[in-house]
Amino acid sequence: SSTTTPSSSSSTTTSSTTTPSSSSSTTTPSSSSTTTSSTTTPSTSSSTSTTSTPPEIPLCQAPLGGEREEWPITITTVYMEEPTDDDNLSTDEVVVGKTTGSGVKVTYVSVDYSKLYDMQNDTHNVWVYESNMFLKIEKSTQNKADFIPQVTEIHPLKSDIQSVDTNDWVNNPDVEEATGEFLEIRKIPSRDRRTYAEFTDTIQKYINPSGSIYNKDNNGMVLVNKYTEAGVNPQADGVSIRYFGLDEEDVEARPQIDVCYKVVEVKKCPYGTVEKVIVVKNAVYVDKSKPDTNFEGENLEVGTPTGDSNSEKRILLEFNLESYDEVKYPLKDVSTAWIHLTFEDFIGNGGRDSASPTNTISVTPLTTLSEDGVFDERTATWDNTGMDDQPDDAVEIGTTVIPQEQPGITPIVIEVTDVDVEKLLKDYPGIVISGVDEPTSKHPILEFFGKDEKVFPKPELHVCVPEYETTSSTATPTQTHTPTLSTQSTSPTEPVPIRNCTIPAGGDRIVIDLKDYLVIQDTPLSADNPNLIQIGQTKGKGEKVILVYFDLEKAVKEGVIEQFGEPPSGLEEWDITVTDSIINFRMTPTDEGNEDNWEPGRAVLYPLKKPLDEDSSWSYPWLEGNKGPVPGIDYVSTVTADFGKMKKKPALGRWLQASTTTIARYLFTELDEVRMNNNGFLMRFVTESGEDATHFISFDSPALQDPEFRPFMDICYIPSVRPVPCTDGQLVYYDLNADTHIVRDTNVHGSEEHLFIGNSGWAGKARTLIDFDMSKFNTDSTQLFDDTESVYLKLFYEGPELSKPYNDPRQMERKLSAHKILKAWNENYATSKVASQSGKNKNKWDKEMMGELTDYDPEVIATDIISEGESQHSVYFNITSVFKEWMADKTSDHGIMIKDSQHESVPGYFLKFASLNNEDPTMRPKLVVCQKKPICEPEDLPPAKVYNHGCVSTENVTLNYCVAKNGACSATDGDALQYGYTYGVTALWDEFHVLRTFCKCCTDKEADKIEVPMNCEGVEDKPDYTETVYYITKCECMRCEEVSKVRKKRATPSKTRLLLRSALKSMLRK
């Protein structure tokens, strides 16, 4: 796949850059509060600074549609050749150079790129446009006479620092050539001042614009001094340069980098088609200024460098049809195609700095060859390919614009538009790529990688062809849906190119037909057609949206039983883990005769916040009336299903698909606080520009006679069974406090979306750390249902992942074991070496990757096996035993470490799990606790005499009172503010025993009378009598009453309460 060059990038950024508020960057350094347009940091040290005016510190500029962020350098460690001094292995300063009596000093530095790594995936790449590294030089106290002018260079490491020979930093095979250098220091530093180095070439090694598979291993870098005077021995004694370190109180003085980047979309084929690549057969450029010269094997150049047409260079390409399986994927069925090139850089005449703001190239067929109709890259020249005869009005295959700020080594996509791909490949011997509308003066031209490139992608043609798939039937006959393609008549002819959801191992697929729908339209209205459902808008007509409802709960409940039988004993119904889901609408022809220009956009599906109302219109039942349904108010705008982008008027009679996996997970999650109600969905057309749509998009409706063309949705899933049904208890899901994973990269991973366990081969083993805040669990009022199987750690397994290129990756069975952590740690600081940090003090693990007995208990608490090929599912670890220890002593809770106890040393794949930072809350880890059910019940008091005004019962009486257990009668089901109270109030009673604050209390509801004989001997004028007391038979959680501002009439206490209170007071008086 290829990365689309964003069309918005053709504009040049001229305004000053503002650090996005959403980024995690630090404050922009005050020394450079103003930015100028398109500032380019010099790549050499030729810039000089005067003693009176400090050099301006440039900041990178965020590209159009991109971000600028500042990141701290995470590690600085000084390494020295022999002899060493106190600087060796110090971490509080950055030191480079050599002084008398010590060896050469360098500083190892590392940067955490995990944020950008997480953005590189199958659908998106990250382009770093520009980056700088900033340091602050310390005033020197060394001998001025010893100073030698020097620069500090940035050298990436080929290997992990632990395996690098630190005894020779001048001729070290593990140290790469310099990729950047700081401003030259011409005289001994007499004051503290900031300096910078261009960091773009360095960071692009680790965040490669062509995709994550080209990223180099991040082994860190060393900062090394280089004397700038000719002939000076690199190991000559001079003055060491000291820079402020990570512990400096002034944040601005700490080592850091800035990064200006953009996330770009990877060009993909639409649903229902498969992407195939046709490799290049011949690739060469020809030069009009050298008409008889052949340039075989060189990179490809295009443009007119002198501005004169006589200097024009063009690229000739021929694609190899012999490498393509046309029998399986006929070229006549190609729906989308694009040419992929890899841009290297602007060359000649000042390079990028002098390039035009926009640079356009055009692709046309090659039509000027001699009678044999072929060209050979080994012999092709300007003359023998007939370039002078290339027609000015040649058919345009496609064009693209490359902006001046386009990073090097980035994919360029030229979309093939309105051209028959089969004809292009079979009727023409090749294609010609030419520059368009170039300057008439000298200027840089474009260079692309050629056919002989060994690392990055060569020229290719990508085509999208239908993926014919026979839909497997499901266990529910009425839900089986195998769409077929038909002509205007309703007789099916052949399977439609459509992608069904992927059935996971051990799972199945359910198909659900659309049950109900409603089209609503803003005024002015247009005519209705019962066979069509429409979204969008045309001139003179109001916007149309559709409301749709699928009876998902019923279909899934019945479908799972059909496929897997009745749920396990103790469960009312199956829980399911949704692994994939797709919604499908078939576009249908209309006779609207609309000739307006197409406004690009896409259909988007949104969950409704309230149940679909069959009486809905544009003004009802929406909260803002005639404005229609409003995002965030009437429907959920943050959880969506986005259909494929429609850049031009779509072909009719094809299926439009969108992934509804995330939506389905929200509907079927077991987490009450996350679960969405299935209220139906709203579907509308959203334009790319934000302007009104110009066309209606029509789909076949459920009213259509042919059921094959009706909208439908499928859900692929795995039935999931909780390890403990907890039918007799109460199942509670608690949030975790922290999580992270550690690998031998010394980076902090606590803010990432995923957790990793296993061994990927490139960074060695990975372990996951989980922590739970015991203060969230009320050990005084809550009891575990069972002492051995009540508390489980739940993780969502997303599948295996190869984090970096590896020669022989193996996906294998991995046995995961959970261990108790013995030392406090913090996800914001935890690495393979460090557990936590307090101020400047780093609290380290006893050993790298944690030591047995000191950092974690080797005793295994729980295990789980992930077999090769397993699909996504929830994994449970029974941690009841250690949780009980935490209940008894909350200070002993340092969490759980999970590692591979079977193949941790064997390279292969990481196992990937969702973390607390995962954007999908249904997948985040939880602590699942089966507790005893909350109850409000009577509890007997010890038998005792009843006293009343000097009289005493003739025998002991057993009375009782109501007690709330296991968290019963808690005030967690409402908001105190809704009742006119503020937070933090407690239960208060008035003098008539009426509860007056927001809470719930366990109090008596029903009681039996007990007649108790009373002896009043010795009480003047008081005969013996029978006292009536009450024995409580039923309790309830009594709701608190709302108190108005005006004092209400005092309520009369119940007789039961008065007598019970009297009896209890008598006992207390005794």
Side-chain angles (χ1 to χ4, degrees):
S1 60
S2 311
T3 304
T4 304
T5 305
S7 58
S8 61
S9 66
S10 60
S11 302
T12 305
T13 305
T14 58
S15 60
S16 61
T17 303
T18 303
T19 302
S21 59
S22 61
S23 80
S24 58
S25 62
T26 59
T27 304
T28 303
S30 59
S31 62
S32 182
S33 59
T34 305
T35 58
T36 59
S37 61
S38 302
T39 300
T40 303
T41 304
S43 59
T44 70
S45 62
S46 60
S47 302
T48 61
S49 60
T50 66
T51 57
S52 59
T53 304
E56 181 180 355
I57 304 299
L59 307 178
C60 70
Q61 291 206 354
L64 193 64
E67 306 281 357
R68 177 188 181 274
E69 298 181 5
E70 292 186 8
W71 299 346
I73 290 175
T74 55
I75 299 173
T76 63
T77 306
V78 178
Y79 287 88
M80 294 181 59
E81 297 178 358
E82 295 290 345
T84 62
D85 57 26
D86 291 343
D87 284 333
N88 191 40
L89 300 181
S90 66
T91 59
D92 55 350
E93 284 182 302
V94 174
V95 187
V96 297
K98 187 179 187 304
T99 57
T100 303
S102 71
V104 172
K105 300 176 183 180
V106 305
T107 298
Y108 168 76
V109 298
S110 180
V111 179
D112 182 3
Y113 304 113
S114 57
K115 179 174 181 178
L116 298 187
Y117 286 151
D118 290 344
M119 296 178 184
Q120 289 183 306
N121 51 45
D122 290 340
T123 59
H124 292 86
N125 276 341
V126 177
W127 291 358
V128 175
Y129 284 70
E130 192 178 358
S131 179
N132 300 293
M133 181 181 286
F134 305 105
L135 297 175
K136 190 167 186 178
I137 304 172
E138 294 184 36
K139 176 182 177 180
S140 179
T141 60
Q142 299 178 59
N143 189 347
K144 184 178 180 180
D146 294 336
F147 182 80
I148 304 173
Q150 58 185 276
V151 294
T152 299
E153 295 182 326
I154 303 171
H155 291 259
L157 290 179
K158 298 178 182 179
S159 306
D160 185 275
I161 186 65
Q162 304 298 330
S163 60
V164 174
D165 180 9
T166 60
N167 292 317
D168 182 3
W169 288 110
V170 176
N171 301 297
N172 196 315
D174 287 321
V175 178
E176 296 185 16
E177 293 295 321
T179 53
E181 63 182 31
F182 290 83
L183 298 177
E184 182 180 7
I185 304 174
R186 294 177 175 270
K187 57 175 62 178
I188 193 166
S190 59
R191 56 183 171 80
D192 300 345
R193 59 183 174 87
R194 284 172 59 83
T195 185
Y196 76 96
E198 184 182 356
F199 196 61
T200 311
D201 290 344
T202 309
I203 194 173
Q204 284 184 348
K205 283 179 169 287
Y206 311 119
I207 309 296
N208 194 289
S210 287
S212 59
I213 63 172
Y214 300 104
N215 292 348
K216 298 294 185 183
D217 288 350
N218 179 19
N219 296 313
M221 303 148 282
V222 285
L223 304 183
V224 183
N225 83 311
K226 181 181 76 173
Y227 295 131
T228 55
E229 292 184 351
V232 178
N233 188 324
Q235 293 182 319
D237 292 335
V239 171
S240 296
I241 302 299
R242 294 180 177 272
Y243 301 91
F244 288 97
L246 300 180
D247 297 334
E248 178 61 29
E249 292 184 4
D250 181 3
V251 175
E252 187 178 307
R254 297 174 188 169
Q256 57 185 300
I257 67 169
D258 69 354
V259 185
C260 292
Y261 68 92
K262 180 191 293 185
V263 179
V264 295
E265 185 177 355
V266 174
K267 179 73 175 176
K268 289 285 188 181
C269 287
Y271 274 129
T273 61
V274 61
E275 182 178 335
K276 293 298 175 183
V277 176
I278 303 177
V279 299
V280 69
K281 181 177 181 180
N282 285 295
V284 70
Y285 83 90
V286 294
D287 187 343
K288 188 172 183 178
S289 66
K290 300 177 180 179
D292 297 321
T293 303
N294 172 255
F295 297 94
E296 179 205 1
E298 298 187 24
N299 282 343
L300 307 175
E301 301 176 15
V302 61
T304 55
T306 68
D308 185 336
S309 61
N310 289 324
S311 67
E312 184 178 8
K313 305 172 192 285
R314 295 175 181 170
I315 297 173
L316 307 182
L317 299 177
E318 179 190 7
F319 296 104
N320 188 2
L321 271 178
E322 295 177 0
S323 67
Y324 181 76
D325 187 353
E326 193 178 358
V327 175
K328 188 174 181 179
Y329 304 105
L331 288 172
K332 65 181 179 63
D333 294 337
V334 170
S335 59
T336 305
W338 64 89
I339 298 163
H340 177 283
L341 303 174
T342 303
F343 173 65
E344 184 171 16
D345 211 341
F346 296 93
I347 59 171
N349 298 322
R352 179 183 300 274
D353 292 347
S354 302
S356 299
T358 58
N359 301 268
T360 305
I361 55 176
S362 173
V363 182
T364 57
L366 177 59
T367 59
T368 56
L369 295 183
S370 57
E371 293 182 1
D372 59 6
V374 296
F375 85 92
D376 190 327
E377 63 184 10
R378 296 170 295 179
T379 59
T381 66
W382 183 276
D383 277 353
N384 67 26
T385 56
M387 284 296 100
D388 284 333
D389 299 325
Q390 187 77 2
D392 294 334
D393 59 350
V395 176
E396 186 178 273
I397 297 171
T399 63
T400 193
V401 176
I402 300 173
Q404 182 185 21
E405 64 266 24
Q406 181 86 18
I409 319 178
T410 49
I412 299 296
V413 166
I414 308 173
E415 294 200 31
V416 177
T417 56
D418 301 323
V419 174
D420 185 326
V421 174
E422 182 178 25
K423 181 179 179 181
L424 174 66
L425 292 173
K426 292 184 176 180
D427 293 358
Y428 298 105
I431 60 174
V432 182
I433 302 178
S434 310
V436 178
D437 298 330
E438 295 186 71
T440 56
S441 58
K442 288 185 178 181
H443 61 275
I445 62 173
L446 306 169
E447 182 180 35
F448 302 90
F449 286 121
K451 178 182 172 184
D452 293 339
E453 170 59 28
K454 303 299 183 184
V455 178
F456 301 107
K458 307 170 186 179
E460 297 169 334
L461 179 65
H462 293 239
V463 297
C464 303
V465 290
E467 183 177 24
Y468 296 106
E469 179 178 334
T470 303
T471 307
S472 59
S473 62
T474 63
T476 310
T478 58
Q479 295 174 339
T480 301
H481 202 296
T482 309
T484 54
L485 184 64
S486 72
T487 60
Q488 290 294 325
S489 67
T490 57
S491 57
T493 58
E494 59 178 309
V496 69
I498 187 170
R499 187 181 84 85
N500 295 328
C501 66
T502 303
I503 299 176
D508 215 318
R509 173 176 178 257
I510 296 172
V511 182
I512 308 102
D513 289 320
L514 180 62
K515 181 179 180 181
D516 200 4
Y517 76 97
L518 186 65
V519 180
I520 61 174
Q521 185 179 15
D522 195 4
T523 56
L525 303 177
S526 57
D528 286 334
N529 183 334
N531 288 329
L532 303 178
I533 49 181
Q534 291 183 319
I535 59 175
Q537 190 173 358
T538 62
K539 288 183 179 178
K541 300 297 180 183
E543 182 190 7
K544 283 185 178 181
V545 302
I546 56 176
L547 311 176
V548 296
Y549 181 78
F550 295 84
D551 194 350
L552 299 174
E553 289 89 347
K554 180 181 179 182
V556 169
K557 182 177 181 179
E558 295 176 355
V560 177
I561 292 176
E562 285 282 343
Q563 293 161 354
F564 290 94
E566 293 295 329
S569 176
L571 293 180
E572 295 182 2
E573 59 184 49
W574 285 96
D575 288 330
I576 66 168
T577 298
V578 176
T579 58
D580 194 10
S581 177
I582 298 174
I583 194 167
N584 309 267
F585 287 82
R586 183 182 182 271
M587 306 185 71
T588 190
T590 60
D591 241 352
E592 57 177 311
N594 187 345
E595 300 299 330
D596 290 338
N597 289 331
W598 177 263
E599 187 68 32
R602 67 176 76 230
V604 183
L605 191 79
Y606 304 92
L608 289 171
K609 287 197 170 185
K610 293 183 179 180
L612 189 153
D613 190 327
E614 62 181 8
D615 295 324
S616 295
S617 65
W618 193 258
S619 58
Y620 173 83
W622 319 115
L623 290 181
E624 298 197 10
N626 291 332
K627 290 185 179 180
V630 177
I633 297 177
D634 300 305
Y635 60 87
V636 179
S637 58
T638 54
V639 182
T640 65
D642 295 358
F643 293 82
K645 186 183 296 183
M646 303 180 197
K647 293 187 176 180
K648 57 184 178 179
K649 193 171 183 178
L652 303 173
R654 69 180 180 89
W655 287 88
L656 197 64
Q657 298 187 292
S659 171
T660 46
T661 307
T662 300
I663 290 178
R665 282 177 174 161
Y666 273 88
L667 295 175
F668 290 102
T669 180
E670 64 216 57
L671 305 175
D672 292 336
E673 72 272 19
V674 175
R675 185 185 304 115
M676 284 184 182
N677 292 325
N678 180 24
N679 297 320
F681 306 98
L682 177 145
M683 184 175 171
R684 73 189 324 159
F685 187 77
V686 179
T687 63
E688 195 173 29
S689 65
E691 301 294 329
D692 292 341
T694 55
H695 289 70
F696 287 131
I697 298 121
S698 303
F699 305 100
D700 291 327
S701 81
L704 195 70
Q705 183 177 0
D706 191 339
E708 295 293 336
F709 298 150
R710 296 172 184 170
F712 72 99
M713 182 176 175
D714 64 357
I715 295 177
C716 291
Y717 69 97
I718 295 175
S720 57
V721 180
R722 295 191 299 267
V724 176
C726 200
T727 51
D728 296 326
Q730 180 189 30
L731 198 64
V732 182
Y733 293 85
Y734 291 94
D735 291 328
L736 299 179
N737 183 47
D739 65 4
T740 189
H741 67 275
I742 57 174
V743 291
R744 280 198 173 96
D745 60 2
T746 67
N747 292 332
V748 176
H749 300 283
S751 61
E752 297 177 10
E753 278 197 86
H754 306 289
L755 304 169
F756 294 96
I757 304 171
N759 190 322
S760 76
W762 70 275
K765 53 193 176 185
R767 296 175 174 181
T768 282
L769 281 61
I770 301 283
D771 190 26
F772 177 70
D773 185 358
M774 284 301 295
S775 65
K776 297 178 181 179
F777 190 83
N778 190 335
T779 55
D780 296 327
S781 63
T782 309
Q783 299 180 36
L784 301 181
F785 186 80
D786 183 273
D787 285 339
T788 58
E789 295 182 332
S790 284
V791 184
Y792 285 82
L793 172 63
K794 176 189 174 187
L795 300 178
F796 188 84
Y797 172 62
E798 297 187 69
E801 178 166 302
L802 185 64
S803 295
K804 290 280 183 175
Y806 187 70
N807 292 332
D808 184 26
R810 283 173 285 175
Q811 186 183 347
M812 63 194 72
E813 177 181 283
R814 293 195 181 274
K815 183 178 182 180
L816 309 185
S817 62
H819 301 261
K820 182 171 63 174
I821 299 176
L822 303 176
K823 179 181 292 184
W825 56 278
N826 187 307
E827 66 176 350
N828 297 317
Y829 299 101
T831 67
S832 60
K833 295 182 179 179
V834 176
S836 62
Q837 185 170 333
S838 178
K840 298 181 180 181
N841 298 320
K842 294 181 179 180
N843 305 310
K844 297 186 176 182
W845 302 115
D846 183 58
K847 294 181 180 179
E848 187 177 19
M849 294 299 290
M850 304 177 65
E852 284 191 10
L853 297 175
T854 53
D855 297 322
Y856 72 91
D857 192 331
E859 181 181 353
V860 176
I861 302 169
T863 62
D864 190 88
I865 294 177
I866 305 290
S867 300
E868 181 178 349
E870 278 199 61
S871 300
Q872 297 179 347
H873 66 282
S874 294
V875 175
Y876 294 88
F877 293 92
N878 181 359
I879 63 169
T880 309
S881 60
V882 69
F883 191 82
K884 288 169 59 182
E885 294 179 21
W886 296 341
M887 289 176 64
D889 179 10
K890 292 184 178 182
T891 62
S892 66
D893 169 25
H894 300 306
I896 297 292
M897 183 270 286
I898 305 173
K899 67 185 188 75
D900 178 4
S901 61
Q902 184 175 6
H903 294 130
E904 190 177 46
S905 299
V906 182
Y909 283 76
F910 277 148
L911 302 181
K912 183 169 73 173
F913 298 84
S915 81
L916 289 173
N917 300 300
N918 196 281
E919 63 179 1
D920 186 346
T922 67
M923 298 164 57
R924 294 172 189 164
K926 291 283 184 179
L927 197 69
V928 184
V929 182
C930 183
Q931 303 171 183
K932 291 186 177 179
K933 286 185 176 180
I935 53 174
C936 168
E937 64 180 5
E939 186 168 300
D940 287 347
L941 293 164
K945 300 287 187 179
V946 175
Y947 296 84
N948 190 17
H949 300 290
C951 301
V952 61
S953 62
T954 59
E955 56 186 24
N956 287 338
V957 178
T958 299
L959 295 178
N960 60 0
Y961 66 110
C962 292
V963 180
K965 299 177 180 179
N966 300 322
C969 304
S970 60
T972 58
D973 57 352
D975 188 336
L977 295 178
Q978 297 172 356
Y979 291 79
Y981 300 100
T982 57
Y983 292 100
V985 296
T986 56
L988 297 175
W989 300 74
D990 66 13
E991 60 268 41
F992 292 96
H993 209 65
V994 176
L995 190 63
R996 292 299 187 189
T997 60
F998 181 81
C999 65
K1000 292 196 299 185
C1001 282
C1002 181
T1003 187
D1004 57 290
K1005 182 178 183 181
E1006 298 176 4
D1008 291 337
K1009 291 182 180 180
I1010 301 177
E1011 302 295 336
V1012 179
M1014 304 294 291
N1015 182 357
C1016 298
E1017 182 180 351
V1019 180
E1020 185 177 354
D1021 298 328
K1022 183 72 173 177
D1024 294 346
Y1025 72 101
T1026 300
E1027 175 81 48
T1028 301
V1029 296
Y1030 290 83
Y1031 183 80
I1032 302 171
T1033 57
K1034 188 174 183 180
C1035 299
E1036 68 174 347
C1037 292
M1038 175 185 173
R1039 280 199 161 280
C1040 306
E1041 298 180 8
E1042 181 179 359
V1043 179
S1044 66
K1045 294 181 180 179
V1046 179
R1047 177 70 173 176
K1048 293 182 179 179
K1049 182 179 178 181
R1050 293 181 174 180
T1052 303
S1054 68
K1055 184 178 180 181
T1056 301
R1057 288 196 180 123
L1058 288 175
L1059 291 173
L1060 178 59
R1061 182 170 61 183
S1062 175
L1064 291 173
K1065 283 184 176 180
S1066 298
M1067 294 174 61
L1068 293 172
R1069 192 179 300 117
K1070 171 67 175 177

